[in-house]
Every structure is written in structure tokens, then in C-alpha cells.
């Protein structure tokens, strides 16, 4: 069961193609930077993720190194998700994230799994919304 929204961030993507080595299908490396709120704190975030197209046309994505910055401390995160291209040329992903922090203000992130929605448009403007699993 999902809890109330823990945070929302607006991001800007920069992408480049990378070698997928799989089925002759494309892969992308995407870096994001942006900000919003998380657990009631104003935050900034940066991450890099890779996504590989699968034979059915969907994308499998992994972010192995993301970071959250706020005045009260920092947190790191890792994400995995599955996505599809939208009719307008953006992408729509659904997945999960785990966080680690030593910040007391962000300590609620520890020990929980967060589901996310991620939507971007063709210009790389994206929205990331996080929900704790209860």
C-alpha cells in the first residue's frame, strides 16, 4: 500500500546514446538536475541513469548514483524502473527507489522503499513524484 506523497521534483534531462550490447537496440545515459520538496524540505537533486530498450519496445532503467541536497543534510539514492515512450515523444517510467542518509531531518527516508512516477516531455523537462510503501 502506498502512503501519502513524500515529495515532488522538477528536473531537466540531458541524454546521450550509449552502446547497449543487447539485440541491436538503443540505450541511453541520462543525467538529471533539478529541485522541489522531499519530506517537507526544499531540496536539489542530481542523478545519472541508464535505460536499455527491450525487445518489446519498453525501457529498463537504473540510477545507481543519485544525490539529494538540502540545508538539513544530504541523502543518496538508487532507482530501478520500467518505462515507455509517450505519444508526444517523452517517456513515462514507474519504479522504486531506496535512500540512505545520516541527516536527522531526512532520516525518514532510511529503511523504506519508495515507489515513483517519472514523466518527461520531448524537451527533457521531467516530473518525479515519490510515495513510500507502507
Amino acid at each position: 500500500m502506498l502512503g501519502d506523497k513524500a515529495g515532488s521534483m522538477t528536473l531537466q534531462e540531458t541524454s546521450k546514446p550509449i552502446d547497449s550490447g543487447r539485440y541491436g537496440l538503443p540505450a541511453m545515459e541520462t543525467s538529471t538536475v533539478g529541485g522541489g520538496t522531499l519530506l517537507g524540505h526544499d531540496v536539489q537533486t542530481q542523478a545519472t541513469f541508464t535505460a536499455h530498450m527491450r525487445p518489446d519496445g519498453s525501457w529498463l532503467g537504473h540510477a545507481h548514483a543519485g544525490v539529494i541536497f538540502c540545508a538539513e543534510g544530504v541523502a543518496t539514492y538508487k532507482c530501478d524502473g520500467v518505462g515507455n515512450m509517450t505519444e508526444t515523444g517523452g517517456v513515462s517510467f514507474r519504479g522504486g527507489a531506496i535512500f540512505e542518509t545520516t541527516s536527522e531531518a531526512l532520516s525518514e527516508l532510511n529503511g523504506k522503499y519508495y515507489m515513483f512516477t517519472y514523466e518527461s516531455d520531448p524537451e527533457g523537462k521531467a516530473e518525479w513524484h515519490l510515495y513510500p510503501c507502507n
Side-chain angles (χ1 to χ4, degrees):
M1 184 167 198
L2 294 181
D4 293 333
K5 187 186 291 186
S8 293
M9 287 162 250
T10 301
L11 309 168
Q12 182 62 52
E13 300 175 334
T14 304
S15 295
K16 68 178 183 179
I18 59 173
D19 181 32
S20 76
R22 298 180 185 165
Y23 318 111
L25 296 171
M28 300 296 287
E29 179 181 270
T30 300
S31 295
T32 59
V33 62
T37 60
L38 183 59
L39 303 176
H41 302 283
D42 290 333
V43 298
Q44 295 294 311
T45 185
Q46 292 184 4
T48 299
F49 64 89
T50 58
H52 291 82
M53 183 178 273
R54 301 188 305 180
D56 68 358
S58 66
W59 293 83
L60 181 60
H62 307 282
H64 296 290
V67 64
I68 299 285
F69 301 97
C70 71
E72 297 81 10
V74 298
T76 60
Y77 60 89
K78 297 178 182 186
C79 299
D80 290 297
V82 175
N84 290 285
M85 301 300 295
T86 64
E87 289 183 17
T88 61
V91 294
S92 177
F93 273 84
R94 302 295 183 265
I98 56 170
F99 293 83
E100 289 185 289
T101 185
T102 57
S103 166
E104 187 174 323
L106 299 173
S107 64
E108 185 180 329
L109 294 170
N110 290 326
K112 291 184 182 173
Y113 193 74
Y114 288 80
M115 301 301 295
F116 68 80
T117 63
Y118 183 95
E119 307 284 337
S120 74
D121 67 16
E123 288 77 41
K125 295 188 185 331
E127 293 287 327
W128 188 36
H129 303 283
L130 292 156
Y131 305 85
C133 294
N134 295 329

